[in-house]
Amino acid sequence: MEQKYYKMNIAGLERELPICPLNDKLMIAGFVIFGDPEITTACADALLKKAPEYDYMISAEAKGIPLVHEMARLAGNQKYFLARKAPKLYMTGVLGVAVRSITTDAVQHLYLDQADAEIMKGKKILIVDDVISTGESLRAIEELVKQAGGEICGKMAILAEGDATDRDDLIYLEKLPLFNANAEPIL
């Protein structure tokens, strides 16, 4: 089958996203900022202009890393946090939560270092991600922030897809449609 693409404007830049099957009835457009510093910087800048007041940002490993890093750099090299997919040797203790993402086959876990949790306690935390679809990854990060004692002050993404476009608690740059089996947008 010939690869089909969805063309869209994101933060003033044109991109063609490959349309990928989730199952025999539903397809999604793949948005990956890895290796595309131009889109990463443009999106980070656009999101910062919409961001509420915050003390720290957090994102999930791995696709959120370039975005949160660039947002922190543009905001003056601020410290940020990552919800990791596995505990690391340097972690002084871990908080953990299970998550099932639309783009992952199995249940995964996200972990937060106890030292980071102590810094977050009582602080305004802004959650950022590249794409929000089902909201499961977002829910997992929210749970980690709550376990750490942080106050969630906002949730941001470059793109919102599916039901996420109807959320009133999410700030995003563009809507990304879902696609039927023929790679046609579902409206």
Side-chain angles (χ1 to χ4, degrees):
M1 183 175 174
E2 178 188 339
Q3 178 65 58
K4 295 189 179 184
Y5 294 88
Y6 180 70
K7 186 175 183 175
M8 68 182 303
N9 185 299
I10 308 164
L13 300 172
E14 293 290 326
R15 290 297 184 268
E16 289 189 1
L17 310 182
I19 299 176
C20 312
L22 276 182
N23 55 47
D24 60 348
K25 296 179 183 174
L26 186 63
M27 301 178 91
I28 61 170
F31 176 70
V32 179
I33 60 176
F34 289 136
D36 191 344
E38 182 183 38
I39 196 82
T40 303
T41 299
C43 291
D45 185 55
L47 285 171
L48 282 172
K49 289 175 180 166
K50 295 180 167 212
E53 185 179 324
Y54 65 92
D55 295 311
Y56 298 104
M57 292 181 286
I58 187 171
S59 190
E61 189 177 40
K63 291 193 323 180
I65 293 173
L67 177 63
V68 73
H69 180 85
E70 186 64 7
M71 288 176 74
R73 188 189 71 77
L74 290 173
N77 292 317
Q78 298 176 334
K79 180 173 182 57
Y80 62 89
F81 303 104
L82 292 175
R84 306 298 303 258
K85 289 184 178 178
K88 304 298 179 187
L89 293 175
Y90 62 79
M91 291 180 162
T92 58
V94 295
L95 304 176
V97 63
V99 61
R100 184 172 187 106
S101 170
I102 190 173
T103 56
T104 307
D105 282 340
V107 173
Q108 295 183 311
H109 291 83
L110 291 178
Y111 300 93
L112 183 65
D113 187 350
Q114 184 63 44
D116 290 344
E118 290 172 15
I119 296 169
M120 278 188 194
K121 189 173 184 175
K123 301 294 185 190
K124 292 181 276 192
I125 308 299
L126 177 61
I127 300 171
V128 299
D129 209 347
D130 61 335
V131 180
I132 303 293
S133 186
T134 64
E136 284 302 306
S137 297
L138 181 64
R139 182 204 54 77
I141 297 172
E142 287 179 88
E143 181 59 32
L144 283 176
V145 171
K146 289 176 186 173
Q147 286 181 31
E151 173 193 324
I152 298 165
C153 65
K155 299 168 233 174
M156 304 187 87
I158 297 170
L159 303 174
E161 109 184 313
D163 291 342
T165 62
D166 297 328
R167 293 179 64 148
D168 59 4
D169 66 334
L170 181 64
I171 300 166
Y172 59 90
L173 300 180
E174 300 293 337
K175 291 182 179 183
L176 182 61
L178 296 170
F179 299 84
N180 65 23
N182 297 319
E184 300 162 338
I186 300 171
L187 303 176

